[in-house]
């Protein structure tokens, strides 16, 4: 059986899954799922420097998961759910084939 060629959104999916592969970044997504927040509010629960946290935020932005906007002296972030929807759609497509009918280990 030959593998299907990656679709046109393969690079975008790769960025999303890479961004979500880190616990800190997943935590930020969970925070933003509750509503927009400032960068300092997002960084507060994480035991790292602000520059270190900003690297995580940049990965999320590059994956299209987070939007940033400056409001005066505060930088606010919000979730951009379209990228998550694309990843969830891809995952959902994987469950409908032969693999979903195979017995599990054990």
């Amino acid at each position: 059986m030959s593998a299907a060629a990656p679709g046109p959104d393969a690079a975008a999916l790769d960025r999303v899954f890479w961004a979500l592969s880190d616990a800190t970044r997943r935590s930020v997504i969970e925070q933003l799922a509750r509503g927009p927040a400032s960068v300092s509010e997002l960084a507060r629960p994480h035991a790292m420097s602000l520059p270190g946290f900003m690297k995580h935020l940049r990965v999320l932005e590059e994956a299209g998961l987070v939007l940033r906007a400056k409001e005066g002296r505060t930088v606010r972030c919000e979730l951009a759910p379209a990228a998550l929807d694309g990843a969830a759609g891809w995952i959902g497509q994987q469950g409908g084939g032969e693999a979903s009918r195979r017995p599990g280990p054990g």
Side-chain angles (χ1 to χ4, degrees):
M1 174 157 55
S2 64
D9 296 324
L13 279 174
D14 288 349
R15 286 189 299 274
V16 168
F17 286 123
W18 167 252
L20 296 175
S21 71
D22 180 85
T24 297
R25 295 190 290 263
R26 287 191 308 273
S27 174
V28 171
I29 294 297
E30 291 170 0
Q31 287 174 268
L32 290 174
R34 295 187 292 270
S38 70
V39 169
S40 60
E41 291 168 335
L42 293 172
R44 190 173 298 127
H46 305 284
M48 66 181 67
S49 67
L50 187 57
F53 179 78
M54 293 302 292
K55 289 179 184 178
H56 287 287
L57 197 55
R58 193 166 21 259
V59 170
L60 291 168
E61 282 184 282
E62 290 171 357
L65 293 166
V66 171
L67 302 172
R68 273 199 296 183
K70 192 163 185 172
E71 297 176 1
R73 293 173 47 185
T74 303
V75 177
R76 305 275 307 159
C77 298
E78 66 180 84
L79 189 61
L84 283 174
D85 291 345
W90 182 87
I91 290 169
Q93 291 173 353
Q94 307 317 305
E98 182 180 321
S100 66
R101 292 187 293 274
R102 287 188 207 139

